[in-house]
Amino acid sequence: MQDSSGNLYIAEYGEYDRIQKFTASGEFLLEWGTHGSKPGQFIRPQNLAIDANDQIWVADACNHRIQRFDSQGRLLAIWGKPGHAPGELYYPYDLALDGHGHIYICEFGNHRVQKFTLDGHSLGCWGTEGRGPGQLYNPWALVCDHRGRVFVLDTNNHRVYRIRL
């Protein structure tokens, strides 16, 4: 992902569980995060998004939460808890900001997409586990377009769903 200054951010999981920041030409600037479950740490930072204020939103998949940082890696907010009820997260793999005060989260473990306010209040869920219409099976990623549509990569069903929440 790229911020308004052209800097690039990379979420890395596995051996390091961190976020790295580079200039547009590839020069290393900084990194933050280590493996763990404390605030500012990660267990599989699966994906990230950057908002209009250059804040970095991270889907901390195996901690079942969302963390938000400034461009220098300082933790600004953290929300989410593991579970299956609306408002809870189970392996959030991707997130997308719609530019209108909402964040969409693709949950690999819950086989759904949730729409949240930016402070973590659930506004609705879409999808159930399965292979039929309206169902997802381990969705991996999503993206929002300028028309308010959400496209979901429904991994194990080998398809892309277009939804509106």
Side-chain angles (χ1 to χ4, degrees):
M1 299 298 294
Q2 194 169 19
D3 68 16
S4 63
S5 298
N7 297 310
L8 302 167
Y9 296 80
I10 299 170
E12 183 179 5
Y13 63 85
E15 185 176 350
Y16 296 106
D17 287 326
R18 64 185 175 187
I19 306 299
Q20 294 190 76
K21 180 180 178 179
F22 298 88
T23 65
S25 62
E27 178 186 338
F28 174 79
L29 294 173
L30 66 100
E31 69 178 59
W32 69 88
T34 58
H35 183 81
S37 57
K38 293 179 183 172
Q41 293 182 317
F42 306 105
I43 302 179
R44 193 175 182 145
Q46 179 69 29
N47 220 323
L48 55 85
I50 300 173
D51 68 21
N53 297 316
D54 287 336
Q55 295 178 357
I56 296 86
W57 296 73
V58 181
D60 189 5
C62 295
N63 280 322
H64 313 288
R65 66 188 181 190
I66 304 300
Q67 296 193 70
R68 183 171 46 94
F69 300 87
D70 70 12
S71 62
Q72 297 305 305
R74 290 182 290 264
L75 182 64
L76 301 174
I78 185 170
W79 51 265
K81 66 179 184 173
H84 307 289
E88 298 174 340
L89 299 169
Y90 197 60
Y91 297 101
Y93 263 30
D94 200 7
L95 47 85
L97 299 158
D98 69 2
H100 301 288
H102 307 109
I103 184 168
Y104 293 85
I105 299 177
C106 172
E107 294 178 77
F108 185 85
N110 274 334
H111 311 281
R112 69 182 179 193
V113 173
Q114 270 196 86
K115 181 179 181 179
F116 287 90
T117 61
L118 297 180
D119 58 355
H121 297 294
S122 180
L123 298 173
C125 301
W126 186 89
T128 59
E129 181 179 2
R131 299 194 179 279
Q135 295 182 315
L136 301 169
Y137 191 59
N138 299 128
W140 193 270
L142 54 74
V143 64
C144 296
D145 73 6
H146 68 281
R147 292 182 180 166
R149 299 176 300 186
V150 178
F151 295 85
V152 183
L153 178 59
D154 188 12
T155 310
N156 286 328
N157 280 328
H158 311 287
R159 61 188 176 194
V160 175
Y161 249 111
R162 184 179 74 193
I163 64 171
R164 184 174 214 122
L165 266 173

